[in-house]
Amino acid sequence: MNIPLDAIAAFNTVGGIKPAYIRMEDEAHRLHTYKIANIEFTKDENYSGVQSLLFVCNVDMGDCMKCIKIRYLIDTHKWLLVS
């Protein structure tokens, strides 16, 4: 299941992408912003025929660190939480 999310990312001079923050909505429709502590690795993928980048990141969720996967769809510029 892929969940759409907001992201703030930095782009370098050769087009590399580094996500810095994500924002997600919880079940009560409240928005929560989380800082990405570090990126474990990045992988180029062809996800269902769509070029994408998969990021495996550690996110600081206040009282704990959580490892998540987020996908950036290159053609549509959308961010998804991969579960």
Side-chain angles (χ1 to χ4, degrees):
M1 185 164 124
N2 294 312
I3 302 168
L5 54 86
D6 296 332
I8 295 176
F11 296 81
N12 65 21
T13 57
V14 293
I17 303 170
K18 182 180 177 185
Y21 292 90
I22 59 169
R23 185 169 64 181
M24 301 185 301
E25 189 175 309
D26 65 11
E27 295 82 18
H29 303 290
R30 291 182 304 242
L31 291 174
H32 299 276
T33 302
Y34 302 107
K35 181 176 177 23
I36 295 175
N38 68 322
I39 299 170
E40 294 289 326
F41 69 90
T42 304
K43 180 180 174 187
D44 290 333
E45 288 188 327
N46 189 352
Y47 174 71
S48 299
V50 177
Q51 286 297 108
S52 64
L53 296 170
L54 179 70
F55 297 89
V56 177
C57 311
N58 291 314
V59 176
D60 183 5
M61 295 198 157
D63 57 344
C64 67
M65 292 291 277
K66 186 173 181 181
C67 185
I68 64 165
K69 294 179 184 176
I70 56 176
R71 179 173 285 127
Y72 177 69
L73 304 177
I74 296 170
D75 292 343
T76 59
H77 309 291
K78 293 183 181 178
W79 290 91
L80 302 170
L81 177 66
V82 180
S83 57

